[in-house]
Amino acid sequence: MATMADVARSAGVSVATVSHVLNGTRPVLPQTRQAVLDAIDSLGYTPNTLARSLVTSRTRSIGLAVSAISNPYFTEILQGVEAAALEAGYSLLIADPHDDPGHERKVAQLLHERRVDGMIVAPSAHPHDLVGYLRRHAVPTVFIDRVIDARVLDGTPAGGDEGAAPDGGTSWYDQVCAESAGPTTRLVSHLAALGHRRIGMVAGTPGLSTTEERVAGYRDGLTAAGLAHDERLLASGDSESAGAEQATAALLALPDPPSALVTANNAMTIGALRALRRLGRSVPDDLALCCFDDFAWADLFSPRLTAVAQPSRELGARAVRVLLDRLGEPRRPARTVRLPCTFVHRTSCGCPEQPGAAGRPEHREPSQPSEKGTVS
């Protein structure tokens, strides 16, 4: 098996230069770097990552903790994380915290014990223990998909492990998520423009920032359209298909049921469609439907689903880049990055199919991204 010394002799450089090329610890002239890479290739040299980690205190690995990995949305986030990590020369360790506060704390500890350089985590609705552990052990972390309240990040007592942030109180956790409120408002406004006056919503798990923001967007859409807020039209599907099926059935059983419905994620869209089929209702004749989350087969339903598409793969890739920035500059100001969603106009909302629309790209309207230097 070739050694680093063999590579150095073949390239005509010192062992230290080979180390600098492999670890990126010092600039090397392009022609010298190429000579080292050519020698590595010709000799079939494989770096000893364990030995390198002992020297550099880095394992070049990232821990990813996201719930419901079987959900296509999180699967695409995983693909984005994996591609960006591989491009940067990092391996990936994956765990499912099951959206359970106690379990996510254990998952974080297990990943930390594997000496990952940093973590990307989709937090639960009650992440105090998780944040406390990460803070106490100074684990570089990017929260993805869901935003955590700044008071939790900064250590304001609210239960669970507590401790001071490294700079005396300002949060040092970065967050990467998609816009939620504005795109939901867009769905409600579209349905209102079509003449609907009783627009219902099947919302996600209480306490999650995505749920709160999409509910806020729903209410903003009603206000903008001059429609009354009827709290009976807002039901919780708990972010799951079964819960959404029950919630949709309950909404349709109201004395004055909604004529249109917004579902707040892809799993709940499936549940709503199951309820409608079981009750013998059709879309959009009996109920217009718009959903948050586009997915690969949304265009195959009849009618085709009008939806908000999240940039799931880009969310994963951006989270990796933000984490690498944090690893390179640990005391940099924390930031929250919000990526734009896209309104995908199809026909489940009740709009007619355009001639020749089948098989061609849908009408898509992107929202605007934002980035804040501090967590808000």
Side-chain angles (χ1 to χ4, degrees), residues 206-244:
L208 292 178
S209 67
T210 47
T211 298
E212 294 172 354
E213 291 176 5
R214 289 168 198 174
V215 168
Y218 163 73
R219 289 175 172 149
D220 287 346
L222 295 177
T223 298
L227 301 179
H229 291 208
D230 185 345
E231 291 302 315
R232 294 174 301 172
L233 295 180
L234 177 60
S236 175
D238 206 28
S239 298
E240 297 180 347
S241 177

PDB file of all heavy atoms in Angstrom, residues 206-244:
ATOM      1  N   PRO A 206     -48.634  21.502  15.853  1.00  0.00           N
ATOM      2  CA  PRO A 206     -48.517  22.745  16.620  1.00  0.00           C
ATOM      3  C   PRO A 206     -47.124  22.890  17.221  1.00  0.00           C
ATOM      4  O   PRO A 206     -46.511  21.914  17.651  1.00  0.00           O
ATOM      5  CB  PRO A 206     -49.574  22.569  17.724  1.00  0.00           C
ATOM      6  CG  PRO A 206     -50.545  21.582  17.169  1.00  0.00           C
ATOM      7  CD  PRO A 206     -49.722  20.643  16.324  1.00  0.00           C
ATOM      8  N   GLY A 207     -46.630  24.124  17.233  1.00  0.00           N
ATOM      9  CA  GLY A 207     -45.325  24.402  17.815  1.00  0.00           C
ATOM     10  C   GLY A 207     -44.190  24.474  16.822  1.00  0.00           C
ATOM     11  O   GLY A 207     -43.161  25.089  17.098  1.00  0.00           O
ATOM     12  N   LEU A 208     -44.345  23.845  15.659  1.00  0.00           N
ATOM     13  CA  LEU A 208     -43.312  23.946  14.632  1.00  0.00           C
ATOM     14  C   LEU A 208     -43.398  25.315  13.964  1.00  0.00           C
ATOM     15  O   LEU A 208     -44.501  25.808  13.689  1.00  0.00           O
ATOM     16  CB  LEU A 208     -43.474  22.853  13.580  1.00  0.00           C
ATOM     17  CG  LEU A 208     -43.222  21.413  14.016  1.00  0.00           C
ATOM     18  CD1 LEU A 208     -43.482  20.463  12.845  1.00  0.00           C
ATOM     19  CD2 LEU A 208     -41.805  21.237  14.543  1.00  0.00           C
ATOM     20  N   SER A 209     -42.267  25.906  13.666  1.00  0.00           N
ATOM     21  CA  SER A 209     -42.279  27.222  13.028  1.00  0.00           C
ATOM     22  C   SER A 209     -42.955  27.167  11.665  1.00  0.00           C
ATOM     23  O   SER A 209     -43.634  28.113  11.258  1.00  0.00           O
ATOM     24  CB  SER A 209     -40.855  27.760  12.885  1.00  0.00           C
ATOM     25  OG  SER A 209     -40.100  26.974  11.967  1.00  0.00           O
ATOM     26  N   THR A 210     -42.784  26.060  10.947  1.00  0.00           N
ATOM     27  CA  THR A 210     -43.425  25.934   9.639  1.00  0.00           C
ATOM     28  C   THR A 210     -44.944  25.969   9.780  1.00  0.00           C
ATOM     29  O   THR A 210     -45.639  26.579   8.961  1.00  0.00           O
ATOM     30  CB  THR A 210     -42.989  24.632   8.961  1.00  0.00           C
ATOM     31  OG1 THR A 210     -43.089  23.551   9.895  1.00  0.00           O
ATOM     32  CG2 THR A 210     -41.557  24.723   8.468  1.00  0.00           C
ATOM     33  N   THR A 211     -45.463  25.311  10.818  1.00  0.00           N
ATOM     34  CA  THR A 211     -46.908  25.342  11.059  1.00  0.00           C
ATOM     35  C   THR A 211     -47.369  26.752  11.391  1.00  0.00           C
ATOM     36  O   THR A 211     -48.336  27.263  10.805  1.00  0.00           O
ATOM     37  CB  THR A 211     -47.275  24.396  12.214  1.00  0.00           C
ATOM     38  OG1 THR A 211     -46.929  23.057  11.860  1.00  0.00           O
ATOM     39  CG2 THR A 211     -48.769  24.466  12.526  1.00  0.00           C
ATOM     40  N   GLU A 212     -46.683  27.403  12.318  1.00  0.00           N
ATOM     41  CA  GLU A 212     -47.091  28.736  12.750  1.00  0.00           C
ATOM     42  C   GLU A 212     -47.042  29.736  11.605  1.00  0.00           C
ATOM     43  O   GLU A 212     -47.930  30.573  11.443  1.00  0.00           O
ATOM     44  CB  GLU A 212     -46.203  29.187  13.905  1.00  0.00           C
ATOM     45  CG  GLU A 212     -46.394  28.343  15.171  1.00  0.00           C
ATOM     46  CD  GLU A 212     -45.375  28.664  16.251  1.00  0.00           C
ATOM     47  OE1 GLU A 212     -44.440  29.467  15.973  1.00  0.00           O
ATOM     48  OE2 GLU A 212     -45.498  28.118  17.357  1.00  0.00           O
ATOM     49  N   GLU A 213     -45.996  29.650  10.779  1.00  0.00           N
ATOM     50  CA  GLU A 213     -45.851  30.601   9.683  1.00  0.00           C
ATOM     51  C   GLU A 213     -46.890  30.355   8.591  1.00  0.00           C
ATOM     52  O   GLU A 213     -47.422  31.309   8.004  1.00  0.00           O
ATOM     53  CB  GLU A 213     -44.438  30.519   9.113  1.00  0.00           C
ATOM     54  CG  GLU A 213     -43.380  31.055  10.074  1.00  0.00           C
ATOM     55  CD  GLU A 213     -41.970  30.878   9.559  1.00  0.00           C
ATOM     56  OE1 GLU A 213     -41.810  30.412   8.407  1.00  0.00           O
ATOM     57  OE2 GLU A 213     -41.019  31.194  10.296  1.00  0.00           O
ATOM     58  N   ARG A 214     -47.204  29.098   8.312  1.00  0.00           N
ATOM     59  CA  ARG A 214     -48.194  28.819   7.275  1.00  0.00           C
ATOM     60  C   ARG A 214     -49.604  29.185   7.753  1.00  0.00           C
ATOM     61  O   ARG A 214     -50.416  29.663   6.956  1.00  0.00           O
ATOM     62  CB  ARG A 214     -48.096  27.352   6.838  1.00  0.00           C
ATOM     63  CG  ARG A 214     -46.828  27.102   6.041  1.00  0.00           C
ATOM     64  CD  ARG A 214     -46.505  25.645   5.810  1.00  0.00           C
ATOM     65  NE  ARG A 214     -45.097  25.519   5.444  1.00  0.00           N
ATOM     66  CZ  ARG A 214     -44.447  24.384   5.272  1.00  0.00           C
ATOM     67  NH1 ARG A 214     -45.088  23.222   5.426  1.00  0.00           N
ATOM     68  NH2 ARG A 214     -43.165  24.373   4.954  1.00  0.00           N
ATOM     69  N   VAL A 215     -49.879  28.984   9.034  1.00  0.00           N
ATOM     70  CA  VAL A 215     -51.166  29.436   9.579  1.00  0.00           C
ATOM     71  C   VAL A 215     -51.253  30.957   9.510  1.00  0.00           C
ATOM     72  O   VAL A 215     -52.294  31.526   9.143  1.00  0.00           O
ATOM     73  CB  VAL A 215     -51.357  28.931  11.018  1.00  0.00           C
ATOM     74  CG1 VAL A 215     -52.542  29.628  11.688  1.00  0.00           C
ATOM     75  CG2 VAL A 215     -51.561  27.415  11.028  1.00  0.00           C
ATOM     76  N   ALA A 216     -50.155  31.641   9.846  1.00  0.00           N
ATOM     77  CA  ALA A 216     -50.137  33.104   9.749  1.00  0.00           C
ATOM     78  C   ALA A 216     -50.363  33.553   8.308  1.00  0.00           C
ATOM     79  O   ALA A 216     -51.097  34.517   8.042  1.00  0.00           O
ATOM     80  CB  ALA A 216     -48.817  33.658  10.274  1.00  0.00           C
ATOM     81  N   GLY A 217     -49.748  32.843   7.358  1.00  0.00           N
ATOM     82  CA  GLY A 217     -49.945  33.171   5.948  1.00  0.00           C
ATOM     83  C   GLY A 217     -51.370  32.942   5.507  1.00  0.00           C
ATOM     84  O   GLY A 217     -51.924  33.718   4.703  1.00  0.00           O
ATOM     85  N   TYR A 218     -51.980  31.883   6.013  1.00  0.00           N
ATOM     86  CA  TYR A 218     -53.394  31.595   5.720  1.00  0.00           C
ATOM     87  C   TYR A 218     -54.273  32.741   6.212  1.00  0.00           C
ATOM     88  O   TYR A 218     -55.126  33.242   5.471  1.00  0.00           O
ATOM     89  CB  TYR A 218     -53.755  30.279   6.399  1.00  0.00           C
ATOM     90  CG  TYR A 218     -55.237  30.004   6.548  1.00  0.00           C
ATOM     91  CD1 TYR A 218     -56.028  29.658   5.457  1.00  0.00           C
ATOM     92  CD2 TYR A 218     -55.839  30.051   7.811  1.00  0.00           C
ATOM     93  CE1 TYR A 218     -57.375  29.391   5.610  1.00  0.00           C
ATOM     94  CE2 TYR A 218     -57.185  29.774   7.979  1.00  0.00           C
ATOM     95  CZ  TYR A 218     -57.955  29.451   6.869  1.00  0.00           C
ATOM     96  OH  TYR A 218     -59.294  29.183   7.036  1.00  0.00           O
ATOM     97  N   ARG A 219     -54.044  33.171   7.433  1.00  0.00           N
ATOM     98  CA  ARG A 219     -54.852  34.260   7.986  1.00  0.00           C
ATOM     99  C   ARG A 219     -54.603  35.576   7.248  1.00  0.00           C
ATOM    100  O   ARG A 219     -55.535  36.353   7.010  1.00  0.00           O
ATOM    101  CB  ARG A 219     -54.559  34.404   9.473  1.00  0.00           C
ATOM    102  CG  ARG A 219     -55.121  33.236  10.298  1.00  0.00           C
ATOM    103  CD  ARG A 219     -54.729  33.318  11.753  1.00  0.00           C
ATOM    104  NE  ARG A 219     -55.445  32.295  12.530  1.00  0.00           N
ATOM    105  CZ  ARG A 219     -54.961  31.705  13.609  1.00  0.00           C
ATOM    106  NH1 ARG A 219     -53.748  32.023  14.056  1.00  0.00           N
ATOM    107  NH2 ARG A 219     -55.669  30.807  14.268  1.00  0.00           N
ATOM    108  N   ASP A 220     -53.351  35.806   6.871  1.00  0.00           N
ATOM    109  CA  ASP A 220     -53.054  37.025   6.100  1.00  0.00           C
ATOM    110  C   ASP A 220     -53.784  37.007   4.762  1.00  0.00           C
ATOM    111  O   ASP A 220     -54.254  38.040   4.275  1.00  0.00           O
ATOM    112  CB  ASP A 220     -51.543  37.143   5.866  1.00  0.00           C
ATOM    113  CG  ASP A 220     -50.784  37.519   7.125  1.00  0.00           C
ATOM    114  OD1 ASP A 220     -51.425  37.953   8.111  1.00  0.00           O
ATOM    115  OD2 ASP A 220     -49.546  37.370   7.137  1.00  0.00           O
ATOM    116  N   GLY A 221     -53.849  35.834   4.147  1.00  0.00           N
ATOM    117  CA  GLY A 221     -54.557  35.718   2.875  1.00  0.00           C
ATOM    118  C   GLY A 221     -56.037  36.006   3.016  1.00  0.00           C
ATOM    119  O   GLY A 221     -56.633  36.680   2.153  1.00  0.00           O
ATOM    120  N   LEU A 222     -56.640  35.532   4.096  1.00  0.00           N
ATOM    121  CA  LEU A 222     -58.052  35.831   4.341  1.00  0.00           C
ATOM    122  C   LEU A 222     -58.266  37.326   4.535  1.00  0.00           C
ATOM    123  O   LEU A 222     -59.193  37.919   3.972  1.00  0.00           O
ATOM    124  CB  LEU A 222     -58.543  35.074   5.580  1.00  0.00           C
ATOM    125  CG  LEU A 222     -58.569  33.537   5.501  1.00  0.00           C
ATOM    126  CD1 LEU A 222     -59.014  32.962   6.842  1.00  0.00           C
ATOM    127  CD2 LEU A 222     -59.491  33.060   4.382  1.00  0.00           C
ATOM    128  N   THR A 223     -57.388  37.934   5.328  1.00  0.00           N
ATOM    129  CA  THR A 223     -57.508  39.371   5.586  1.00  0.00           C
ATOM    130  C   THR A 223     -57.368  40.170   4.299  1.00  0.00           C
ATOM    131  O   THR A 223     -58.145  41.099   4.033  1.00  0.00           O
ATOM    132  CB  THR A 223     -56.449  39.816   6.602  1.00  0.00           C
ATOM    133  OG1 THR A 223     -56.670  39.128   7.840  1.00  0.00           O
ATOM    134  CG2 THR A 223     -56.522  41.323   6.851  1.00  0.00           C
ATOM    135  N   ALA A 224     -56.369  39.809   3.490  1.00  0.00           N
ATOM    136  CA  ALA A 224     -56.129  40.544   2.247  1.00  0.00           C
ATOM    137  C   ALA A 224     -57.327  40.440   1.297  1.00  0.00           C
ATOM    138  O   ALA A 224     -57.598  41.370   0.521  1.00  0.00           O
ATOM    139  CB  ALA A 224     -54.870  40.010   1.563  1.00  0.00           C
ATOM    140  N   ALA A 225     -58.059  39.328   1.389  1.00  0.00           N
ATOM    141  CA  ALA A 225     -59.213  39.131   0.506  1.00  0.00           C
ATOM    142  C   ALA A 225     -60.503  39.672   1.117  1.00  0.00           C
ATOM    143  O   ALA A 225     -61.566  39.573   0.503  1.00  0.00           O
ATOM    144  CB  ALA A 225     -59.372  37.644   0.201  1.00  0.00           C
ATOM    145  N   GLY A 226     -60.401  40.219   2.329  1.00  0.00           N
ATOM    146  CA  GLY A 226     -61.583  40.743   2.991  1.00  0.00           C
ATOM    147  C   GLY A 226     -62.512  39.666   3.499  1.00  0.00           C
ATOM    148  O   GLY A 226     -63.728  39.896   3.642  1.00  0.00           O
ATOM    149  N   LEU A 227     -61.965  38.496   3.811  1.00  0.00           N
ATOM    150  CA  LEU A 227     -62.780  37.382   4.287  1.00  0.00           C
ATOM    151  C   LEU A 227     -62.696  37.256   5.800  1.00  0.00           C
ATOM    152  O   LEU A 227     -61.652  37.524   6.404  1.00  0.00           O
ATOM    153  CB  LEU A 227     -62.314  36.070   3.639  1.00  0.00           C
ATOM    154  CG  LEU A 227     -62.367  36.020   2.110  1.00  0.00           C
ATOM    155  CD1 LEU A 227     -61.844  34.680   1.604  1.00  0.00           C
ATOM    156  CD2 LEU A 227     -63.785  36.257   1.606  1.00  0.00           C
ATOM    157  N   ALA A 228     -63.777  36.809   6.409  1.00  0.00           N
ATOM    158  CA  ALA A 228     -63.815  36.633   7.857  1.00  0.00           C
ATOM    159  C   ALA A 228     -62.954  35.444   8.268  1.00  0.00           C
ATOM    160  O   ALA A 228     -62.790  34.482   7.510  1.00  0.00           O
ATOM    161  CB  ALA A 228     -65.255  36.426   8.317  1.00  0.00           C
ATOM    162  N   HIS A 229     -62.396  35.520   9.488  1.00  0.00           N
ATOM    163  CA  HIS A 229     -61.626  34.418  10.049  1.00  0.00           C
ATOM    164  C   HIS A 229     -62.583  33.515  10.822  1.00  0.00           C
ATOM    165  O   HIS A 229     -63.060  33.881  11.904  1.00  0.00           O
ATOM    166  CB  HIS A 229     -60.539  34.935  10.988  1.00  0.00           C
ATOM    167  CG  HIS A 229     -59.453  35.669  10.293  1.00  0.00           C
ATOM    168  ND1 HIS A 229     -58.163  35.737  10.782  1.00  0.00           N
ATOM    169  CD2 HIS A 229     -59.436  36.369   9.138  1.00  0.00           C
ATOM    170  CE1 HIS A 229     -57.414  36.453   9.963  1.00  0.00           C
ATOM    171  NE2 HIS A 229     -58.176  36.845   8.962  1.00  0.00           N
ATOM    172  N   ASP A 230     -62.876  32.357  10.287  1.00  0.00           N
ATOM    173  CA  ASP A 230     -63.718  31.385  10.978  1.00  0.00           C
ATOM    174  C   ASP A 230     -62.802  30.269  11.470  1.00  0.00           C
ATOM    175  O   ASP A 230     -62.319  29.442  10.683  1.00  0.00           O
ATOM    176  CB  ASP A 230     -64.783  30.836  10.016  1.00  0.00           C
ATOM    177  CG  ASP A 230     -65.769  29.901  10.706  1.00  0.00           C
ATOM    178  OD1 ASP A 230     -65.472  29.447  11.831  1.00  0.00           O
ATOM    179  OD2 ASP A 230     -66.824  29.621  10.111  1.00  0.00           O
ATOM    180  N   GLU A 231     -62.520  30.261  12.779  1.00  0.00           N
ATOM    181  CA  GLU A 231     -61.564  29.310  13.329  1.00  0.00           C
ATOM    182  C   GLU A 231     -62.006  27.863  13.144  1.00  0.00           C
ATOM    183  O   GLU A 231     -61.190  26.950  13.247  1.00  0.00           O
ATOM    184  CB  GLU A 231     -61.329  29.603  14.813  1.00  0.00           C
ATOM    185  CG  GLU A 231     -60.573  30.897  15.064  1.00  0.00           C
ATOM    186  CD  GLU A 231     -59.217  30.925  14.369  1.00  0.00           C
ATOM    187  OE1 GLU A 231     -58.489  29.911  14.450  1.00  0.00           O
ATOM    188  OE2 GLU A 231     -58.884  31.949  13.742  1.00  0.00           O
ATOM    189  N   ARG A 232     -63.298  27.648  12.872  1.00  0.00           N
ATOM    190  CA  ARG A 232     -63.747  26.278  12.617  1.00  0.00           C
ATOM    191  C   ARG A 232     -63.184  25.737  11.308  1.00  0.00           C
ATOM    192  O   ARG A 232     -63.149  24.512  11.105  1.00  0.00           O
ATOM    193  CB  ARG A 232     -65.274  26.234  12.573  1.00  0.00           C
ATOM    194  CG  ARG A 232     -65.968  26.548  13.900  1.00  0.00           C
ATOM    195  CD  ARG A 232     -67.468  26.615  13.712  1.00  0.00           C
ATOM    196  NE  ARG A 232     -67.835  27.643  12.728  1.00  0.00           N
ATOM    197  CZ  ARG A 232     -69.069  27.818  12.261  1.00  0.00           C
ATOM    198  NH1 ARG A 232     -70.053  27.022  12.670  1.00  0.00           N
ATOM    199  NH2 ARG A 232     -69.334  28.772  11.382  1.00  0.00           N
ATOM    200  N   LEU A 233     -62.744  26.633  10.424  1.00  0.00           N
ATOM    201  CA  LEU A 233     -62.194  26.200   9.135  1.00  0.00           C
ATOM    202  C   LEU A 233     -60.697  25.890   9.203  1.00  0.00           C
ATOM    203  O   LEU A 233     -60.097  25.507   8.197  1.00  0.00           O
ATOM    204  CB  LEU A 233     -62.439  27.286   8.079  1.00  0.00           C
ATOM    205  CG  LEU A 233     -63.900  27.569   7.737  1.00  0.00           C
ATOM    206  CD1 LEU A 233     -63.997  28.651   6.675  1.00  0.00           C
ATOM    207  CD2 LEU A 233     -64.603  26.298   7.275  1.00  0.00           C
ATOM    208  N   LEU A 234     -60.101  26.068  10.379  1.00  0.00           N
ATOM    209  CA  LEU A 234     -58.681  25.771  10.573  1.00  0.00           C
ATOM    210  C   LEU A 234     -58.564  24.514  11.430  1.00  0.00           C
ATOM    211  O   LEU A 234     -58.945  24.506  12.604  1.00  0.00           O
ATOM    212  CB  LEU A 234     -57.984  26.949  11.259  1.00  0.00           C
ATOM    213  CG  LEU A 234     -56.500  26.770  11.601  1.00  0.00           C
ATOM    214  CD1 LEU A 234     -55.676  26.512  10.343  1.00  0.00           C
ATOM    215  CD2 LEU A 234     -55.981  28.002  12.343  1.00  0.00           C
ATOM    216  N   ALA A 235     -58.072  23.430  10.840  1.00  0.00           N
ATOM    217  CA  ALA A 235     -57.968  22.149  11.543  1.00  0.00           C
ATOM    218  C   ALA A 235     -56.524  21.664  11.511  1.00  0.00           C
ATOM    219  O   ALA A 235     -55.771  21.965  10.586  1.00  0.00           O
ATOM    220  CB  ALA A 235     -58.886  21.117  10.884  1.00  0.00           C
ATOM    221  N   SER A 236     -56.132  20.909  12.524  1.00  0.00           N
ATOM    222  CA  SER A 236     -54.775  20.368  12.586  1.00  0.00           C
ATOM    223  C   SER A 236     -54.748  18.947  12.051  1.00  0.00           C
ATOM    224  O   SER A 236     -55.524  18.090  12.476  1.00  0.00           O
ATOM    225  CB  SER A 236     -54.256  20.379  14.027  1.00  0.00           C
ATOM    226  OG  SER A 236     -52.985  19.744  14.094  1.00  0.00           O
ATOM    227  N   GLY A 237     -53.839  18.713  11.120  1.00  0.00           N
ATOM    228  CA  GLY A 237     -53.603  17.365  10.611  1.00  0.00           C
ATOM    229  C   GLY A 237     -52.349  16.762  11.191  1.00  0.00           C
ATOM    230  O   GLY A 237     -51.951  15.652  10.827  1.00  0.00           O
ATOM    231  N   ASP A 238     -51.680  17.514  12.109  1.00  0.00           N
ATOM    232  CA  ASP A 238     -50.483  17.039  12.812  1.00  0.00           C
ATOM    233  C   ASP A 238     -49.377  16.602  11.859  1.00  0.00           C
ATOM    234  O   ASP A 238     -48.583  15.713  12.173  1.00  0.00           O
ATOM    235  CB  ASP A 238     -50.845  15.890  13.751  1.00  0.00           C
ATOM    236  CG  ASP A 238     -49.864  15.775  14.913  1.00  0.00           C
ATOM    237  OD1 ASP A 238     -49.273  16.805  15.302  1.00  0.00           O
ATOM    238  OD2 ASP A 238     -49.662  14.650  15.421  1.00  0.00           O
ATOM    239  N   SER A 239     -49.350  17.203  10.680  1.00  0.00           N
ATOM    240  CA  SER A 239     -48.295  16.978   9.682  1.00  0.00           C
ATOM    241  C   SER A 239     -48.276  15.562   9.120  1.00  0.00           C
ATOM    242  O   SER A 239     -47.315  15.174   8.452  1.00  0.00           O
ATOM    243  CB  SER A 239     -46.908  17.313  10.260  1.00  0.00           C
ATOM    244  OG  SER A 239     -46.833  18.673  10.630  1.00  0.00           O
ATOM    245  N   GLU A 240     -49.320  14.775   9.356  1.00  0.00           N
ATOM    246  CA  GLU A 240     -49.338  13.392   8.905  1.00  0.00           C
ATOM    247  C   GLU A 240     -50.572  13.104   8.058  1.00  0.00           C
ATOM    248  O   GLU A 240     -51.601  13.777   8.170  1.00  0.00           O
ATOM    249  CB  GLU A 240     -49.317  12.439  10.103  1.00  0.00           C
ATOM    250  CG  GLU A 240     -48.056  12.551  10.944  1.00  0.00           C
ATOM    251  CD  GLU A 240     -48.072  11.597  12.121  1.00  0.00           C
ATOM    252  OE1 GLU A 240     -49.160  11.040  12.405  1.00  0.00           O
ATOM    253  OE2 GLU A 240     -47.022  11.424  12.753  1.00  0.00           O
ATOM    254  N   SER A 241     -50.481  12.059   7.255  1.00  0.00           N
ATOM    255  CA  SER A 241     -51.577  11.701   6.363  1.00  0.00           C
ATOM    256  C   SER A 241     -52.835  11.321   7.127  1.00  0.00           C
ATOM    257  O   SER A 241     -53.939  11.785   6.810  1.00  0.00           O
ATOM    258  CB  SER A 241     -51.140  10.540   5.455  1.00  0.00           C
ATOM    259  OG  SER A 241     -52.189  10.112   4.629  1.00  0.00           O
ATOM    260  N   ALA A 242     -52.695  10.467   8.152  1.00  0.00           N
ATOM    261  CA  ALA A 242     -53.864  10.013   8.903  1.00  0.00           C
ATOM    262  C   ALA A 242     -54.558  11.172   9.605  1.00  0.00           C
ATOM    263  O   ALA A 242     -55.790  11.268   9.606  1.00  0.00           O
ATOM    264  CB  ALA A 242     -53.454   8.945   9.914  1.00  0.00           C
ATOM    265  N   GLY A 243     -53.767  12.057  10.207  1.00  0.00           N
ATOM    266  CA  GLY A 243     -54.354  13.204  10.876  1.00  0.00           C
ATOM    267  C   GLY A 243     -55.067  14.123   9.911  1.00  0.00           C
ATOM    268  O   GLY A 243     -56.140  14.672  10.215  1.00  0.00           O
ATOM    269  N   ALA A 244     -54.513  14.301   8.721  1.00  0.00           N
ATOM    270  CA  ALA A 244     -55.135  15.163   7.718  1.00  0.00           C
ATOM    271  C   ALA A 244     -56.422  14.540   7.183  1.00  0.00           C
ATOM    272  O   ALA A 244     -57.384  15.251   6.872  1.00  0.00           O
ATOM    273  CB  ALA A 244     -54.166  15.423   6.570  1.00  0.00           C
TER     274      ALA A 244
END
